[in-house]
Amino acid sequence: MKEVAPGDDVAPVPPPLEPAGPPADRFCDLVLTGGVASGVVYPWAIVELARHYRFRNIGGTSVGAMAAALAAAAEYGRRTGIERPFEALRRAPAALAEPLRGGGTRMLSLFQTAPRGKRLIALWAWFGRGSVEAGAKQGFVHGLRKVGQVYAGPCVAGAALGLALAALVVALVAAVAAGDAWKGACLLALLTVPLGALAGLTLALWRDIREGVIGNGLGLCKGGTLVPQSEDDPRPGISQWLHEAIQRSAGLDVNDRPLTFRDLWNAPAHPGAEPGQCSEDDPPPRRSINLQMLTSNVTHGRPYRLPLNHETSRLFFRPEDLVDYLPPRVLAALVDAAPRYAVRSNSDPPPGPQTEGFLQLPGADLPLAVAARLSLSFPLLFAAVPLYAIDYEAPKAHRTLKRCWFSDGGVSSNFPIHLFDAALPRWPTFGLWLDRRDPYREGQDIWLPEFHDQGWGDNWNRFDPAAAASAAEPDAADPLDAANPAHAGKPRPSAGKVAAVLLGFAGALATSALDWRDRTSFRLPHVRNRVARLLLQRGEGGLNIAMPREQILGMAHRYGTQAGKAFVAHFADRDGRESDAWREQRWVRLHLLIGGLRERLTGLAGAAASAPRSTPMQRAIAAASERGPLRDHGDGRRLDTAQQRSLQELLRELERLEQVFAQAVAQDFRPVPDPEMRLRAPL
């Protein structure tokens, strides 16, 4: 990342961090949502938080995973004593906004495609500016005109072919037909020109989709560097750019071994301290810096948490499959850290030709850049990543490794605010949610609820067709009115409004399917006042990868810097006194913990003592010392005397705790909405 103009001419750039940093015991956790180009808001938010907090747990999805990786790398650099570890983040918006020769910005140049995808990425950049809504208002022809501009060559070639065919038809008719037949042939032949242009466009568009998207891993960009590089104008792909930024933040050279999760886990507590000794068997609280990301295995239909830490979620890869996805140095490090396929259980297929050349995706030794690329796979824009897993649905004799496709983490969970939650937290977890502008909050760029009883209202998807119809003007000239007088004088929404409603309905369906967990969670009383809603306007971020320099830097300041400062103003202690927001957060969490335990324990004693057609639980525990309680393992899992006594005592304590809750004095605090303590499937 070369030095570029800092951006002060457009927006106030945050000053460098003080070398001393925040107090050694002031920590925070951070969770970042996905949003493609909207990620330009994250660097300066992270910088403002880092000015007052040290990061302990950091999580993210999609572009949020990229920003989380950079934040973790910078925190690692701070712990190891490098100079200005957050400088790469501080300069990131200006670097992304750098204008390049030939037009466009550095950010747009990161999205590099194969030759067959160049025209499609040009269309993506245009439609991503918010022109979909504009096109709906201006009509279908508006969008078709832009498509025709991008595909001018195929359209002209098709039109020329149609013109040649028309001339041939007219000449043949004139030669063999008498009278004025040739005039009719001319009129008919004229249709071949637009039809030829349309045929040329359709053929070229289909070939681009077939080879540039479907044949390119179901996406336009794999992430690798595909354009020739020069010293005076380097144009790395997004994976290379991220790798370089991670290494610089961590105080490492781009050719050094890439930063891994194990490096974060074992980072010293402060410069000069001894490194930690944390392994994959240790619980997450032992990790010095705990970074987690989400990716979506669309073949399995569920999210995976990175780094992998469960034997039932083993994944494998072939190095040759990832050449276009990762920088050579990162891929080489991944191969060095990956063990060869090995049998771990009787259900696994034996080694053989079908497993030859496969390596297992590492856990702690996984480079951060690899995990971020797995999470950053916005459908169609980024190619899905091919990994492999054991197909346990197949009969054991036919069981082997089958390809799985990994797409954007936001497909499964775009805002995993729950990743680092504790029953009673020791420090705050902040969340940044990329939202759209509320029509009733004009002029407000961010909103962070000040008190726990704010923010429980729902977000609205405003696409109501009835409202569009009521706002329409009567159209007496509508042809339907002449055919059916009953329609005369009735208001009819314009074609643009109809298209906008349909697009809004489709978007609302997608939002409901993808974000319902996230939108439900940040309404909860222990979540909503630690989630900053960034109220983006139309055309800001999202799919708009072609934003100009002024817009990138403006967003970084208006949303990023202000969100970071808002968190600090609300939650950071002052003069040794805890903030009101943090005190309130812990108070709310205590009451929710008590309420959740009461909910889960109510009726426990009765169920343990008597359940239809079952043995009382105390007797079942006693019998477990003679016969194992787990059917699959038989007597091999029998309890010894110490285990039996401990389990019986735990059950008695839970029954006593149920009585304590039943006799407790009622509290005035009433959570709205009332959360339910339920089991959540692991990611």
Side-chain angles (χ1 to χ4, degrees), residues 3 16-17 74 83-92 248-249:
E3 296 293 328
L17 273 67
E83 185 178 357
R84 294 190 174 183
F86 287 88
E87 193 66 5
L89 274 163
R90 193 177 76 90
R91 290 184 173 272
R248 180 176 289 104
S249 299

Side-chain angles (χ1 to χ4, degrees), residues 520-521 523-528 588-589 591-593 595-597 599-600 669-678:
T520 302
S521 68
R523 294 181 62 243
L524 298 177
H526 63 297
V527 175
R528 56 185 177 240
V588 169
R589 297 291 281 272
H591 282 75
L592 294 182
L593 171 63
L597 289 174
E599 174 195 356
R600 301 304 286 175
F669 176 76
R670 292 291 183 272
V672 178
D674 192 2
E676 299 176 349
M677 183 177 284
R678 293 289 183 266

Side-chain angles (χ1 to χ4, degrees), residues 41 43 235 245 363 365 431 437 451 467 500 522:
V41 307
R235 301 197 180 200
D365 296 314
R437 186 59 56 106
F451 302 102
F522 67 61

Side-chain angles (χ1 to χ4, degrees), residues 79 262-269 273-279 282 286-288:
R79 303 277 188 93
R262 190 184 300 277
D263 295 327
L264 300 180
W265 298 354
N266 294 325
E274 289 294 321
Q277 297 294 326
C278 182
S279 72
D282 292 318
R286 288 282 306 275
R287 300 170 183 173
S288 180

